[in-house]
Amino acid sequence: MTNKPVQINAKFKYQKLVDEIVVAIESGLLTGKLPSVRKASKDRSVSISTISQAYAELERLGWIFSESKRGYFIHQTRNENSKPQYGHDITSISNGRSLAESVQYSLNDPNVFPLSSTAPSSVLDNEKVLNRLSKKTSNNRVFQKNLEEPIAGLPEYRQALSRYWLSQSLLLTQDQIIATHGRNEGLLTALLAMNKSGKAVAVESPTSFYFQAVISQLNFDVIEIPQQHNYQDELMLLELAYSTHKFDCLVVNPSFNDPTGRLLSKGDKLDLLHWASRNQVTIIEYDRSELYFSCDKPSSLVNLAINHSIDNLRLISIGDFFDTLSPTLKLGYMVCLNCFQECLLTRQTTLEPVNLHMQHIITECLESGQYSKLLRNLRHQLRINYIKANTIFSELLELGTYISQPNGGPCLWFQLPKGVSSHGLWEMAINAQLSIAPGTVFSFSNNFEDFFRVTFALPWDDSMESALIKLTKLTKDFVK
């Protein structure tokens, strides 16, 4: 029987119920025993079948467990460990240290299973589709002499992106879009263009290893703002850091943060945008909003800034097709609000033009509707992989281990019991030919030693399942 892709954003009733119950558990409103299926059906005015599906899903995800003739109960460890703390101390770091080279090297070792990787598009093999698009566009004269080099990218490519976003109620012109070789180059361009003074750069913490790799190349000092569960508390820390350090740029990953999986609410995102506008701080967003799989599509910062007409805001939103189509694609884009010329000049003077044939391929992919179809397939498979991985890892909850519950993105974020370091687990995993990402690689100041990150976004086969089962056993043995 073949699995058919489904439209994830058209959420079923039971999925909405699952989300509501998870929020209630996380907030501490639900503890102990859940209402019976019949009582919940009556209280919520939904069918018994809907409640049964929701409870079954929650059990698969590890939030609840059932006991014969007694009913359904919430995992106590899930409730107690549902909100890891990242501290309240703002850290200023003079950059220049080496970053977790061993984690990177492990990704290139064919004998090590790469659970530390984070390429969402790896779950599907789109090679045939991309090869077909490549052949279809190969008659374009990519080597034609062109005295007016399209530094911002091919007009057709930028127009295709504009039309794609217009279908999602985001009005952008091609004069706000710059083609890049991918997210790394996008961030590099943004930082060079917006931080000419060489001031420190602020980042949320934990922060993406990709952010660290790029910022370290520039040798900028860094201000780490620890993530808070109440985003108003985080904004207060941001204000405190700004009053002390007066940074020009803030780099954020507000939708499915790497590594925590955090998704900021629309209200929190708007508060952040207004704060940046008031303080004239440029926001650089790594936009992963396309990677949702069990919620409605979240708004990107650029979407909110335009649709809410936030004035005096300089904002750069970075995206690429490495995340959504194939890890082999070196093509992305920058959306530049109120800073297009600065970014374009920086790109022109410091970086090479983007491959024209690659732009033709993605233009055809966007215009033909193929991209939307491939995204639906991607979200469907990410959700399947997430559920399977979560089921395997649920055994760790009994040990007091926290496991994130993201609604999108490619990875899970773990916190080991107090006093247990992920460095030792990393050594055990490498000896067993598995690679994980220890928590300290997500901090410039080596914080989060008791955390680690694992991907579920790899092709699901026997080797993937075996690797997750092996890691679960290693973690249990290590914690005990």
Side-chain angles (χ1 to χ4, degrees), residues 134-179:
S134 178
K135 289 176 183 177
K136 187 173 181 179
T137 57
S138 62
N139 60 347
N140 288 294
R141 299 174 63 188
V142 296
F143 298 108
Q144 180 184 16
K145 186 175 180 181
N146 188 349
L147 296 179
E148 295 182 6
E149 186 71 43
I151 300 298
L154 285 174
E156 304 96 298
Y157 171 62
R158 291 180 290 140
Q159 285 168 2
L161 284 168
S162 295
R163 281 192 283 268
Y164 172 73
W165 286 320
L166 183 59
S167 70
Q168 301 180 37
S169 303
L170 175 58
L171 181 59
L172 286 169
T173 69
Q174 64 167 310
D175 292 331
Q176 294 170 301
I177 303 166
I178 297 175

Side-chain angles (χ1 to χ4, degrees), residues 200-463:
V201 174
V203 298
E204 58 196 357
S205 184
T207 195
S208 168
F209 183 75
Y210 135 64
F211 286 176
Q212 294 190 56
V214 175
I215 293 171
S216 295
Q217 291 180 47
L218 300 173
N219 211 33
F220 289 153
D221 291 346
V222 177
I223 310 300
E224 289 190 300
I225 313 295
Q227 293 183 29
Q228 303 295 306
H229 300 298
N230 181 341
Y231 196 66
Q232 297 307 310
D233 293 340
E234 194 166 329
L235 285 175
M236 288 176 62
L237 290 177
L238 195 57
E239 181 66 37
L240 177 62
Y242 181 73
S243 66
T244 307
H245 300 282
K246 297 295 181 187
F247 47 84
D248 288 334
C249 295
L250 171 65
V251 185
V252 294
N253 177 191
S255 297
F256 315 124
N257 169 274
D258 177 22
T260 66
R262 178 175 76 166
L263 171 62
L264 291 183
S265 69
K266 179 180 176 180
D268 288 339
K269 289 176 179 176
L270 283 170
D271 287 343
L272 172 61
L273 292 173
H274 286 297
W275 178 88
S277 176
R278 283 195 308 273
N279 291 286
Q280 297 185 315
V281 170
T282 301
I283 291 186
I284 302 173
E285 169 192 29
Y286 174 29
D287 180 22
R288 301 179 110 198
S289 57
E290 293 283 19
L291 298 179
Y292 66 96
F293 56 71
S294 62
C295 63
D296 294 327
K297 181 180 178 181
S299 297
S300 65
L301 293 184
V302 73
N303 190 312
L304 292 172
I306 290 175
N307 291 335
H308 288 262
S309 303
I310 299 178
D311 298 325
N312 304 317
L313 175 68
R314 290 155 70 92
L315 170 62
I316 299 170
S317 187
I318 297 164
D320 67 12
F321 299 99
F322 170 95
D323 274 348
T324 56
L325 284 180
S326 170
T328 62
L329 277 173
K330 306 303 180 190
L331 182 66
Y333 51 83
M334 301 167 60
V335 177
C336 308
L337 300 187
N338 300 317
C339 55
F340 178 82
Q341 289 301 326
E342 295 98 315
C343 291
L344 187 62
L345 179 62
T346 298
R347 205 187 183 300
Q348 183 175 17
T349 55
T350 59
L351 300 161
E352 295 295 323
V354 177
N355 182 282
L356 296 180
H357 183 50
M358 198 66 70
Q359 292 182 70
H360 284 301
I361 291 172
I362 299 304
T363 298
E364 178 64 27
C365 189
L366 289 163
E367 298 283 38
S368 66
Q370 190 73 48
Y371 185 60
S372 296
K373 179 181 177 182
L374 294 174
L375 274 179
R376 288 194 294 271
N377 294 345
L378 173 66
R379 294 177 191 127
H380 177 67
Q381 194 60 50
L382 282 174
R383 179 171 172 79
I384 289 173
N385 281 27
Y386 165 68
I387 290 171
K388 288 179 176 178
N390 215 25
T391 301
I392 292 171
F393 287 132
S394 63
E395 293 180 34
L396 299 178
L397 296 170
E398 299 168 4
L399 304 175
T401 301
Y402 162 83
I403 308 174
S404 63
Q405 298 290 310
N407 289 317
C411 52
L412 293 171
W413 181 235
F414 296 76
Q415 183 178 24
L416 297 167
K418 189 174 182 180
V420 181
S421 168
S422 63
H423 289 184
L425 180 60
W426 152 260
E427 295 289 347
M428 283 184 67
I430 283 294
N431 289 334
Q433 297 186 316
L434 300 174
S435 173
I436 63 171
T440 52
V441 306
F442 302 101
S443 167
F444 286 90
S445 50
N446 289 313
N447 292 326
F448 318 120
E449 190 174 337
D450 52 342
F451 290 84
F452 67 95
R453 189 199 68 190
V454 167
T455 187
F456 53 82
L458 292 170
W460 195 276
D461 53 20
D462 290 344
S463 60

